[in-house]
Amino acid sequence: VPSAASTTPALNAYLRAATLGNLAGTSSDALFGASGMQSVEILLKIESLEATWNGLTNNNFAADWDGGGDRYSQWRPVSGLLSWTKSPPLFGELDSRRFRVWVRSTDKAGNVQPALNLAIATPGLGTAVELTKEEINTDKNADGSPAYTFTYDNTPPTSVVTAPAKYERGMPTAVSGTAQDAFPAREPSGIVQMQLRYRRSDGLYWSLVNSDFDIANTDVFSFVSWNVVASPWSFTNFNATSFQDGFEYTVNSQGQDASGNYESGGLSTYTFIVDRSSSVAKAGFPAHNGFASAALASVTGTADDRYCYLPNETPGLCPGTGGRNFQSGLSASSVTVAVQEIAGSNFFWNGQS
């Protein structure tokens, strides 16, 4: 009885278009009689759709795949015998799908080994075993072992940063978010790695090595350690001075799945501002030590929450948007005024006119 096996793609491999290549394997008749190999065929099935490849390459599921009663007989011949290859179908409509492969071989004496894949079967089993429809339906080999499998996933994942809050009054302790591979309702390869890029509003990028916003650091992503099984993810490797007051911080996240697809183009961008300083307000009119007539209708002034404004309360010292010029902002009712009479009774104004 001859034998045959799949070797490429690797068992349980996750592949994209750039890494797919041909299906390949080996066959032999030396173990059980050695009359010589006559032919090798494969049966390729989309696991979740219960459809097998009919050999066509129209890049159209309805035309290239058989989901009817004939799907069990769609054995396709390969090129070669002892070392065989088969060009795969076009997978354009079959992104994020898991496939099963069975191999059968025939020797010159007419012995057929329907689907015993020795790469994952019990060694030494030398009698022909019939592969049943039920075994194909349940993705098993004729000996009950799992059928050879690989996954095709050609679409990058997506990720979103969700924390810290847009305006932080304290020191942020983590940058967190969620990630998801494309077509989650199918069989995607799954997220295996997250990378983040942090930029401060003065143009500096975070250096994972130096744990600081380092002018020598280039515009690159840094790897983030996280639980590869779960989302949400979180990066916490910050020190007490990582996020300084008055800057805006921009975070880009990039996910990678097990097939090697990197999130790219339209990366998630999240910005937040660290504002740890109280705002400053001062009166401007009437002027300090000035005079006002009975016609005075209002007291006016300025209020500012920018870090760059605070040291000398001088707006002219504030740099442009590339510096510590960011604030959480003042609410409409955040400025209150007290007016005191400095002669006579020293009473405060009660707000009545």
Side-chain angles (χ1 to χ4, degrees):
V1 178
S3 63
S6 294
T7 59
T8 304
L11 179 63
N12 297 321
Y14 295 109
L15 306 167
R16 62 187 191 280
T19 59
L20 178 60
N22 289 333
L23 308 180
T26 60
S27 66
S28 174
D29 196 36
L31 294 178
F32 316 117
S35 66
M37 295 300 302
Q38 178 69 38
S39 65
V40 178
E41 299 168 298
I42 66 167
L43 182 69
L44 179 62
K45 172 190 168 184
I46 308 170
E47 179 178 307
S48 59
L49 299 182
E50 295 295 335
T52 58
W53 182 36
N54 63 16
L56 299 180
T57 55
N58 296 301
N59 202 22
N60 179 276
F61 173 78
D64 298 346
W65 297 83
D66 186 353
D70 292 335
R71 66 181 183 274
Y72 306 103
S73 60
Q74 293 290 356
W75 293 88
R76 315 318 311 169
V78 302
S79 299
L81 294 172
L82 300 182
S83 179
W84 57 264
T85 61
K86 181 67 174 179
S87 297
L90 300 177
F91 288 158
E93 294 186 357
L94 301 174
D95 199 348
S96 299
R97 295 292 186 183
R98 185 163 53 244
F99 295 82
R100 297 284 179 170
V101 184
W102 291 268
V103 187
R104 75 177 180 186
S105 55
T106 304
D107 64 18
K108 292 180 180 179
N111 297 306
V112 179
Q113 184 62 64
L116 180 59
N117 189 332
L118 292 184
I120 53 177
T122 304
L125 185 60
T127 58
V129 181
E130 182 64 33
L131 182 70
T132 66
K133 292 181 179 180
E134 178 62 23
E135 286 164 334
I136 294 175
N137 288 341
T138 56
D139 307 312
K140 295 179 180 179
N141 286 314
D143 67 345
S145 62
Y148 206 89
T149 183
F150 67 91
T151 297
Y152 179 78
D153 179 347
N154 199 49
T155 303
T158 56
S159 61
V160 176
V161 181
T162 58
K166 290 291 187 180
Y167 300 106
E168 279 285 337
R169 61 181 296 182
M171 176 61 68
T173 59
V175 174
S176 308
T178 60
Q180 180 174 271
D181 207 354
F183 305 110
R186 300 181 186 179
E187 302 88 41
S189 59
I191 304 287
V192 295
Q193 181 173 266
M194 285 299 303
Q195 297 184 91
L196 298 181
R197 179 175 62 194
Y198 308 89
R199 181 184 184 276
R200 202 166 64 182
S201 53
D202 60 357
L204 299 185
Y205 287 85
W206 176 259
S207 169
L208 191 64
V209 175
N210 299 330
S211 295
D212 198 2
F213 287 89
D214 188 344
I215 193 170
N217 193 37
T218 57
D219 180 10
V220 295
F221 285 90
S222 297
F223 291 98
V224 175
S225 297
W226 70 302
N227 185 344
V228 298
V229 178
S231 176
W233 51 263
S234 186
F235 180 65
T236 58
N237 190 26
F238 298 113
N239 55 51
T241 61
S242 297
F243 297 107
Q244 297 181 37
D245 193 2
F247 287 111
E248 181 183 63
Y249 297 86
T250 301
V251 184
N252 298 115
S253 60
Q254 182 185 61
Q256 180 193 2
D257 64 24
S259 290
N261 299 301
Y262 281 90
E263 184 177 5
S264 61
L267 294 174
S268 171
T269 299
Y270 185 87
T271 60
F272 63 93
I273 292 171
V274 176
D275 185 350
R276 306 178 66 188
S277 302
S278 299
S279 56
V280 172
K282 63 179 180 179
F285 181 82
H288 180 54
N289 289 326
F291 297 91
S293 69
L296 177 65
S298 62
V299 175
T300 62
T302 61
D304 207 308
D305 194 33
R306 292 175 296 170
Y307 177 87
C308 58
Y309 180 88
L310 302 180
N312 298 302
E313 301 182 11
T314 306
L317 296 179
C318 284
T321 56
R324 304 175 78 166
N325 198 31
F326 291 87
Q327 60 183 329
S328 57
L330 300 170
S331 63
S333 59
S334 62
V335 178
T336 56
V337 176
V339 180
Q340 182 185 23
E341 181 185 35
I342 58 175
S345 62
N346 293 326
F347 286 165
F348 283 89
W349 180 44
N350 65 6
Q352 301 299 315
S353 57

